[in-house]
Each structure stands twice: as structure tokens, then as C-alpha cells.
Amino acid sequence: MFWQEVRSFLLKKGFLEVETPVLETSAGGASATPFATHHNALDADVFLRISMGELWQKRLMVAGYEKTFEIGRQFRNEGMDAEHLQDYTQMEFYWAYSNYQDGMNLVKELYRTLAKNVYKTLKFERSGHKFDLSKEWAIIDYASEIEKQTRVDIWKASKPEIESKLKSLNEEFSKGLEKPRLIDILWKHCRRKISGPAFLTGQPVEISPLAKRSSKDTRKVEQFQIILAGSEMGNGYSELNDPIDQEERFKEQMKMKELGDSEAQSHDFDFVEALKYGMPPTCGFGFSERLFSFFEGKPIRE
């Protein structure tokens, strides 16, 4: 019933349901470690998708489609816990001629509709947090919240300073991680204290390689994440449609990958070529069955 409600909501809003490839020659659309395999007929290494066709759906925006979505399985070769699996259902939509603020309004309506129609309530208590989806959703700035909770200014702090702070907070991190990934671990420490419902905004460009830069502060991107009971329950942004900027960010991601960051994104040359033909302003958003397990009040594996 949960996924039926998601599908029904989007179809009523004029979105077209699509299917995109599960096997890709370049695992794109997210920062995650992919499962790798080999395509015998083509004698080529391929990957199971780590996003719900993000770069494919944005190609559809280039082709003239204005509203698309997909609900399907995706795969990430990462750790398991109460909120993470390697094989799970994900929904992503892409909406041309809109931005992240339009997306925030639509997503708020979607979450309230899901809670009301499936669970008959807008009030929840999860992981020691209480929240009410009917109330005003707070808007939290990424850097400001980190500084508020940890006294670390991410724009000025050095990599060793951030590592030192993480150690003092007893947060584990791998050696050799670059500053953007360390900052994100610091944010996740802060996130656990936020009950929500809230939108997180103002993420640094370095940790969001597919999002459009903010015209008000070019250090940041036009991104929003849903925060409920200390967890991320959805992620969206104004899509980057500048091919030059996109290519430079892919290059930075490849540098991180060469330094050992297995979650850094690959350089998708075909996608950059598609952007050169022109993609309209677009908002993209997605959430996984983590949201379903959250509403159910059960671990995602269960």
C-alpha cells in the first residue's frame, strides 16, 4: 500500500513512470560503493546501479520529458545496520522547470499524504524523538548547525582540525578521507539530535557533485534533505545543468577516488555530453524503503 500511494500521488501530479537500466558502465547518480560484475557478451566491466536512474532520468529531461519517476531496486556494496541494506527499493522523480524550493513543497505534501492515507496519523515517535508532520517544517543550514553543535566552522577549519574534533566526539572515520567526507561525518553526528520534521539546506558543493550552485553563496548548493527523528529520510536538489561545472566536479570526484575514496563518483562523459545539448532547470528527489521501515517502526532488514 505504501508504494501504491507513492505511485498514485505522482501519477495524479502528472509524472510519467519510467524504467531505466540496472546495469551501467559507470555507476553514477550517488556517492556510494557499487557492486561490480562482468558482461561476457560485451567483454566489459559493469556495475549494478546505485541510484534510481538519476543520470538516465536527467537525459529524459534533455530529451523534452518534463516529469518522470521510477520505483525499483538499487544496490550499494556497503555496510548493514538498522537503516541500510545492500539491495532495496528506491523512488526518484525529476521535474523540469522547477527548483529545490518547488521540490520541498511537493515533498512535504507527499509525506503528509503517505502518513495520512497509509498510517492514519501525522504524529510519530521514533528513536526517542517525537514529531508532527502537520506542523511547520524547520529549515536548517548545514554549516550553521554544525557550528552550533560542535563550534567547528567548516569553511575555515583545516582537515586536521576536523579529524581532531571527530576523535573528541568518538566518531569513527577511515584514514585518508578527504575533507568533504570528514565534514559529512561531522554533520551526521549533529543530525542525530534533530527531531524534525526539517529540511536541511546549504550543503557544500564538494559533497554534492550533481546539485546546482546557490546563486546567493557559491560555496553551497541548492539541495534539501528531509530530517526525521535524527535520520535522513529523503534527498533532493536543483539539478546541475551547466556541463562545464559538472565536468569539473566529476574531475574532482575522480581525484578523490584515486586517493582511495570508494564512494566518490565516476566521470560520466556521456552525461556531460547530454548536458551540452541543454537540460532545463530541474528538481530531482528520491527516498528509499528506509522511509517505509521508519514509518513502520521496524529495522529495514525486518
Side-chain angles (χ1 to χ4, degrees):
M1 185 176 179
F2 177 88
W3 293 111
Q4 289 175 348
E5 284 291 335
V6 175
R7 178 175 283 108
S8 177
F9 178 90
L10 292 170
L11 290 174
K12 288 177 181 177
K13 294 292 184 179
F15 285 80
L16 173 69
E17 186 168 10
V18 299
E19 290 186 352
T20 61
V22 174
L23 289 176
E24 302 180 309
T25 55
S26 176
S31 296
T33 304
F35 284 94
T37 187
H38 189 77
H39 193 306
N40 290 335
L42 297 177
D43 191 23
D45 293 330
V46 293
F47 305 93
L48 291 175
R49 64 182 177 185
I50 57 175
S51 73
M52 197 44 48
E54 172 162 349
L55 303 186
W56 296 103
Q57 289 200 61
K58 288 195 280 192
R59 285 174 171 87
L60 292 176
M61 301 295 105
V62 173
Y65 291 85
E66 293 189 10
K67 291 182 176 182
T68 65
F69 77 96
E70 182 172 5
I71 298 172
R73 304 297 284 184
Q74 68 182 41
F75 314 87
R76 297 186 179 183
N77 197 1
E78 300 173 341
M80 297 175 65
D81 58 30
E83 293 187 351
H84 296 85
L85 289 177
Q86 283 73 47
D87 174 357
Y88 58 93
T89 299
Q90 172 95 354
M91 183 286 299
E92 291 187 25
F93 72 68
Y94 293 85
W95 180 13
Y97 306 104
S98 66
N99 62 20
Y100 78 114
Q101 293 172 322
D102 298 314
M104 289 163 70
N105 291 330
L106 183 65
V107 167
K108 186 191 301 183
E109 182 183 352
L110 170 58
Y111 279 43
R112 287 172 173 170
T113 299
L114 280 174
K116 181 179 179 181
N117 292 352
V118 180
Y119 299 97
K120 313 304 179 185
T121 183
L122 294 173
K123 296 180 180 180
F124 295 85
E125 184 173 353
R126 298 287 187 270
S127 305
H129 295 270
K130 293 181 180 180
F131 62 90
D132 185 345
L133 292 173
S134 68
K135 292 186 176 180
E136 187 64 29
W137 292 33
I139 297 179
I140 297 171
D141 180 73
Y142 187 99
S144 299
E145 186 66 23
I146 290 176
E147 186 167 12
K148 175 183 174 182
Q149 290 196 33
T150 68
R151 297 184 180 179
V152 173
D153 183 341
I154 64 170
W155 308 117
K156 297 179 180 179
S158 65
K159 179 180 173 181
E161 288 172 336
I162 296 173
E163 290 176 331
S164 176
K165 174 56 69 172
L166 288 172
K167 289 177 182 177
S168 71
L169 295 172
N170 296 316
E171 291 289 342
E172 296 182 358
F173 60 93
S174 302
K175 292 182 178 180
L177 286 182
E178 291 302 297
K179 181 179 174 181
R181 199 72 68 208
L182 294 170
I183 290 173
D184 201 44
I185 296 172
L186 191 59
W187 155 249
K188 289 174 181 176
H189 169 86
C190 298
R191 185 182 67 197
R192 292 196 289 268
K193 299 180 182 179
I194 301 172
S195 295
F199 290 114
L200 174 70
T201 63
Q203 292 85 335
V205 170
E206 292 79 8
I207 65 171
S208 297
L210 297 169
K212 180 178 288 187
R213 289 180 190 267
S214 169
S215 59
K216 297 179 180 178
D217 187 339
T218 57
R219 299 174 301 177
K220 303 177 180 180
V221 292
E222 294 185 352
Q223 182 174 2
F224 66 100
Q225 292 176 319
I226 314 302
I227 309 300
L228 299 175
S231 293
E232 178 204 323
M233 291 295 162
N235 181 41
Y237 37 78
S238 300
E239 302 292 343
L240 177 59
N241 57 354
D242 179 339
I244 298 174
D245 192 356
Q246 182 64 84
E247 187 158 39
E248 289 303 313
R249 293 200 218 174
F250 276 151
K251 289 178 180 178
E252 289 301 315
Q253 288 288 303
M254 289 303 294
K255 290 179 183 178
M256 292 169 63
K257 186 180 289 290
E258 289 167 2
L259 290 171
D261 188 344
S262 63
E263 294 187 3
Q265 297 194 30
S266 299
H267 192 320
D268 192 320
F269 295 93
D270 289 341
F271 177 63
V272 172
E273 182 68 19
L275 288 184
K276 291 178 180 179
Y277 285 88
M279 185 177 80
T282 298
C283 174
F285 175 80
F287 63 73
S288 73
E289 64 185 78
R290 180 193 302 172
L291 180 64
F292 171 62
S293 70
F294 175 80
F295 278 138
E296 290 287 330
K298 296 180 179 181
I300 192 168
R301 187 175 184 182
E302 185 177 337

